[in-house]
Amino acid sequence: MSQVKKAKHVILIGFDGLGAYAIPKANMPNLKKLMEGGSHSLEARTVLPSSSAVNWASMLMGAGPTAHGFTEWGSKTPEIQPYEVTKYGLFPSIFSVIRDQNPDAKTAVVYSWEGIGPLVEKDAIDVVYHGETEELCMAKAIEIIQEKETKFMFLHLSEPDGVGHNIGHDTPEYYQELERVDAKIGQLLDAVAAAGLTDDTIIMLSADHGGVGKGHGGKSLEEIYIPWIISGPGVKVNHEVKDLIMTYDTGATIAWILGLDMPKSWRGKPVLDSFK
Ligand SMILES: [Zn+2]
């Protein structure tokens, strides 16, 4: 596993409302290239409810909602008293884990949904960028990649959730949106390659929830199953992870890749089966 530790950069791409159910049927060549070049599960699981803020928080905070306190789709403050808060004011996330243990490592969060803002420890992050559009977010993320200085970046993009709500999941329009999602994955992979960072960068891709009909938040597997994809140095190639993956394992996996200790209050586990 020593090769993993050579990764100089980790990029986590989160697509809001990208249901794992859709991926086998979708025309997503770049996403499938990432899957074939790395490890994946299409049966990673959300926490409940299968909604946005509660799941983004869990992904970044390595624990579930009754630990970190964010419990709803649009939680801006914890509805449950967190088990602990860091000096940055929230339950510990991967950002404070990095800042506290490796202060020289630069981090970034780039997001298109304003609801991400209240979930991240802004004073522990070097670049906090809220873009009004996905295009602005993509441009910022690519700029950050080109600068080659950021150890960990979380990029949140709002689609395909909007199409899921407005037109419906598992519709032709949803699959058309997934082609646009895939084009963005291609742009990011191209930017990493153009910066000469492909061999130094671990790319992770996931979602906060899937969906059914025009919504999500419920208990169907279409809402619960999220993609979990990882690719880069030290990662098994063309490998399907059969172990249970919970969304809070994402934060734990990033900490493990970067050689950092997890807070004792975290409940996520690194997805070790994805590594050589
Ligand atoms: Zn969402």
Side-chain angles (χ1 to χ4, degrees):
M1 294 189 181
S2 58
Q3 228 196 327
V4 175
K5 307 292 181 185
K6 287 182 191 156
K8 295 194 182 94
H9 311 277
V10 178
I11 300 172
L12 170 63
I13 311 166
F15 287 104
D16 212 300
L18 175 56
Y21 75 84
I23 288 174
K25 292 184 266 183
N27 179 22
M28 301 187 83
N30 291 305
L31 180 140
K32 285 169 187 175
K33 194 169 85 180
L34 203 58
M35 280 169 62
E36 284 163 14
S39 294
H40 76 275
S41 169
L42 296 181
E43 296 186 358
R45 292 180 179 228
T46 68
V47 296
L48 285 176
S50 55
S51 302
S52 301
V54 51
N55 271 284
W56 293 122
S58 300
M59 185 186 294
L60 298 169
M61 293 177 171
T66 56
H68 58 65
F70 294 95
T71 67
E72 298 174 9
W73 80 267
S75 296
K76 290 187 171 59
T77 53
E79 294 83 18
I80 297 172
Q81 182 183 324
Y83 169 75
E84 63 175 335
V85 296
T86 67
K87 62 189 172 195
Y88 311 104
L90 297 173
F91 189 86
S93 79
I94 186 63
F95 291 107
S96 61
V97 167
I98 295 170
R99 174 52 51 90
D100 290 351
Q101 295 180 50
N102 189 357
D104 294 333
K106 289 196 171 175
T107 58
V109 57
V110 176
Y111 58 100
S112 54
W113 178 49
E114 73 271 9
I116 298 294
L119 310 177
V120 294
E121 299 163 289
K122 294 193 177 68
D123 293 337
I125 307 172
D126 294 281
V127 175
V128 178
Y129 179 85
H130 173 214
E132 294 292 322
T133 65
E134 290 207 325
E135 289 67 32
L136 287 169
C137 289
M138 286 293 297
K140 186 67 178 179
I142 288 168
E143 180 190 317
I144 288 169
I145 290 166
Q146 288 167 343
E147 288 168 358
K148 307 186 190 189
E149 288 177 352
T150 296
K151 176 71 79 178
F152 171 63
M153 172 166 67
F154 170 50
L155 169 62
H156 164 277
L157 294 166
S158 293
E159 293 295 351
D161 193 55
V163 174
H165 283 293
N166 294 323
I167 297 165
H169 272 263
D170 206 20
T171 59
E173 290 83 356
Y174 185 79
Y175 288 102
Q176 281 165 18
E177 187 60 38
L178 292 188
E179 294 187 17
R180 288 188 281 273
V181 165
D182 192 68
K184 290 170 202 151
I185 298 169
Q187 286 176 43
L188 292 164
L189 295 178
D190 287 349
V192 171
L197 298 180
T198 302
D199 293 340
D200 297 330
T201 302
I202 289 181
I203 295 177
M204 301 173 72
L205 188 154
S206 193
D208 52 342
H209 51 75
V212 65
K214 286 189 175 179
H216 57 80
K219 298 171 188 172
S220 70
L221 290 175
E222 288 80 6
E223 294 158 280
I224 300 284
Y225 280 161
I226 49 173
W228 199 91
I229 301 170
I230 185 167
S231 180
V235 178
K236 286 180 188 166
V237 172
N238 205 9
H239 176 67
E240 182 181 2
V241 177
K242 301 281 192 183
D243 293 340
L244 173 64
I245 300 176
M246 294 295 298
T247 195
Y248 42 72
D249 296 336
T250 299
T253 301
I254 297 163
W256 184 85
I257 291 166
L258 298 177
L260 306 173
D261 294 330
M262 284 191 281
K264 276 173 72 181
S265 54
W266 279 22
R267 287 299 175 272
K269 293 198 275 190
V271 182
L272 295 179
D273 183 48
S274 43
F275 300 102
K276 287 173 189 160

